């Protein structure tokens, strides 16, 4: 039986959902709603509220950033889960830190600044944030978000976090202490997707890895889950699309991932819901074009000449028809 989607803002629906069911979060302005497995949502929220150090990993496009955004940029999402779990419903404050902007471990603590023609060291963005949280009287859950921890220039920068991500007092270079009870940390990365590509620039520092007490992997959704999500989104955006087209698109997406995991079709990126949605929009607006035309400028648009044959075979396999003639004219003509 096809899996259902449960709405977070409907308390009775949320309560009815099982641990592996998909919950639709209220969308952040300008973004599409995201659908997340209930157990992942609850582990994430309880970990934030308990001041854990969370590593959220997974392949590109698996909604790591969107999930964190949905929890704090649309406060009703976080509140609904706190209420359902029976924990105090305080606001969530997230402090994003872009890890790729640090060139050395020392910059995590201090950065060079210029005033009146002379240079001096001032607190880094991270230390300024930690000081502000320590002084805050706000009754909120505070979460420091280390964005893209795998994209630092070297593992030594990660090593610089070891003395900041501590339980108890944080000791700063000038020997002052910061006490921030209950502070939670979250880092997102593609480490759990290493086989999928070269999305990380530094190997994960072992000592830092040990600091993370909760390790969540957000993988791609199953074929059935992706189908239900796309059908749901097509309905939300009032796209007039036959169910079978959605199934064919997801089928192609999964075949691409399967081939990539076997070392083939490396020029074609793993499909994501984001990519599928663009394809659905094109299909809904250009009904006179064939699905093959649209595959070739979306999911398969990056196929290199060497991968063209394999791409053709996949499309043919997915649509279950002999497409040699048609594909020979379309592929290469429209994009691959
Ligand atoms: N489960 C989902 N439900 C709805 N939309 C999704 C889902 N997963 C991914 N998306 C869509 O894919 C887009 C990309 O997701 P996002 O940027 O959050 O991925 P990411 O895991 O942070 O990727 P990266 O590792 O490249 O930073 C989102 O904006 C969203 O539109
Ligand atoms: Mg991201």
């Amino acid at each position: 039986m096809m899996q259902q989607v449960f709405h977070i803002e409907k308390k009775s629906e949320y309560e009815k959902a099982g641990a592996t069911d998909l919950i639709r979060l209220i969308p952040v302005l300008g973004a599409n709603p995201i659908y997340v497995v209930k157990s992942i949502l609850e582990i994430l929220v309880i970990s934030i509220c308990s001041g854990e150090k969370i590593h959220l990993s997974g392949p590109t496009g698996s909604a790591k950033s969107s999930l964190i955004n949905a929890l704090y940029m649309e406060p009703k999402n976080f509140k609904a889960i706190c209420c359902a779990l029976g924990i105090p419903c305080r606001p969530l404050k997230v402090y994003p830190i872009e890890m790729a902007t640090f060139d050395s471990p020392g910059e995590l603590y201090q950065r060079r600044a210029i005033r009146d023609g002379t240079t001096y060291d001032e607190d880094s963005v991270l230390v300024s944030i930690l000081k502000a949280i320590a002084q805050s009287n706000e009754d909120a859950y505070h979460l420091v978000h280390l964005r893209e921890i795998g994209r630092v220039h070297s593992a030594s920068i990660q090593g610089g976090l070891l003395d900041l991500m501590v339980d108890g007092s944080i000791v700063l270079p000038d020997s002052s202490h910061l006490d921030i009870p209950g502070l939670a940390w979250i880092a997102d990365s593609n480490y759990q997707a290493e086989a999928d590509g070269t999305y990380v620039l530094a190997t994960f520092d072992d000592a830092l890895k040990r600091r993370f007490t909760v390790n969540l992997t957000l993988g791609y959704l199953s074929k059935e889950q992706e189908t239900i999500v796309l059908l749901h989104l097509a309905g939300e955006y009032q796209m007039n699309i036959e169910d079978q087209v959605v199934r064919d698109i997801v089928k192609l997406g999964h075949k691409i991932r399967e081939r990539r995991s076997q070392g083939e079709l490396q020029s074609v990126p793993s499909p994501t819901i984001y990519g599928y949605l663009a394809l659905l929009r094109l299909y809904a607006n250009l009904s006179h074009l064939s699905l093959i035309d649209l595959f070739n400028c979306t999911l398969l648009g990056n196929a290199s000449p060497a991968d063209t044959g394999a791409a053709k075979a996949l499309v043919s396999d997915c649509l279950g028809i002999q497409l040699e003639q048609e594909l020979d004219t379309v592929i290469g003509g429209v994009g691959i």
Side-chain angles (χ1 to χ4, degrees):
M1 201 184 73
M2 191 55 101
Q3 206 183 359
Q4 257 183 294
V5 162
F6 298 83
H7 292 73
I8 197 161
E9 68 274 29
K10 297 182 185 158
K11 196 165 174 274
S12 60
E13 262 194 37
Y14 183 88
E15 282 170 359
K16 226 184 321 160
T20 58
D21 283 325
L22 287 173
I23 306 293
R24 176 198 179 276
L25 300 185
I26 303 166
V28 169
L29 197 65
N32 63 265
I34 59 162
Y35 301 77
V36 184
V37 170
K38 186 178 182 184
S39 60
I40 292 189
L41 274 181
E42 296 196 334
I43 293 170
L44 184 55
V45 168
I46 205 82
S47 302
I48 293 171
C49 299
S50 323
E52 301 289 350
K53 298 173 184 67
I54 306 153
H55 179 208
L56 184 61
S57 196
T60 182
S62 55
K64 301 178 294 295
S65 303
S66 314
L67 172 55
I68 298 169
N69 290 348
L71 286 182
Y72 84 101
M73 294 169 92
E74 178 41 83
K76 287 185 202 139
N77 287 323
F78 187 73
K79 195 173 167 201
I81 303 168
C82 287
C83 291
L85 293 174
I87 48 179
C89 294
R90 301 188 192 117
L92 172 65
K93 299 273 165 194
V94 176
Y95 308 87
I97 302 286
E98 205 59 61
M99 290 305 293
T101 60
F102 297 104
D103 285 324
S104 68
E107 287 182 11
L108 292 167
Y109 291 86
Q110 288 175 325
R111 64 178 176 191
R112 288 306 260 175
I114 300 180
R115 190 170 48 213
D116 299 333
T118 46
T119 58
Y120 68 103
D121 288 326
E122 67 176 14
D123 286 341
S124 69
V125 178
L126 179 50
V127 168
S128 303
I129 283 171
L130 292 172
K131 284 185 173 174
I133 301 173
Q135 283 164 11
S136 162
N137 295 321
E138 209 175 342
D139 192 17
Y141 296 108
H142 298 283
L143 175 67
V144 176
H145 178 192
L146 305 171
R147 289 164 61 127
E148 301 279 6
I149 203 165
R151 302 232 181 213
V152 289
H153 303 301
S154 78
S156 69
I157 299 172
Q158 293 180 351
L161 289 165
L162 295 176
D163 291 331
L164 290 169
M165 293 178 66
V166 291
D167 294 328
S169 280
I170 300 169
V171 182
L172 296 178
D174 63 1
S175 302
S176 60
H177 289 224
L178 290 178
D179 288 297
I180 316 179
L183 175 65
W185 297 74
I186 191 164
D188 65 287
S189 84
N190 299 121
Y191 280 114
Q192 291 303 95
E194 267 170 308
D196 196 38
T198 48
Y199 297 118
V200 290
L201 301 178
T203 49
F204 201 1
D205 183 282
D206 267 345
L208 183 66
K209 199 185 273 184
R210 182 179 70 71
R211 297 292 191 279
F212 289 102
T213 44
V214 174
N215 297 285
L216 274 174
T217 298
L218 216 53
Y220 293 126
L221 299 177
S222 68
K223 199 190 277 185
E224 190 192 44
Q225 288 171 325
E226 279 193 342
T227 307
I228 198 78
V229 165
L230 287 186
L231 287 172
H232 213 263
L233 285 171
E236 292 214 8
Y237 292 119
Q238 293 167 359
M239 296 180 193
N240 189 16
I241 295 180
E242 313 86 85
D243 288 8
Q244 189 53 46
V245 169
V246 171
R247 286 179 214 289
D248 288 340
I249 290 172
V250 172
K251 193 168 165 194
L252 179 67
H254 279 257
K255 283 191 183 294
I256 293 173
R257 283 197 205 128
E258 190 183 291
R259 294 299 157 86
R260 284 181 50 81
S261 70
Q262 293 160 356
E264 297 168 34
L265 275 185
Q266 295 301 305
S267 61
V268 177
S270 267
T272 64
I273 303 264
Y274 189 64
Y276 291 136
L277 261 181
L279 173 50
L280 286 184
R281 280 192 297 270
L282 288 180
Y283 186 79
N285 289 306
L286 297 170
S287 54
H288 56 287
L289 294 185
S290 77
L291 199 48
I292 304 163
D293 289 331
L294 303 179
F295 281 160
N296 294 336
C297 64
T298 53
L299 302 190
L300 296 170
N302 286 307
S304 65
D307 283 338
T308 300
K312 273 201 276 185
L314 268 198
V315 173
S316 163
D317 187 15
C318 261
L319 299 182
I321 36 177
Q322 265 306 329
L323 293 167
E324 281 310 312
Q325 190 64 40
E326 194 176 354
L327 284 166
D328 278 345
T329 52
V330 174
I331 292 183
V334 174
I336 59 174

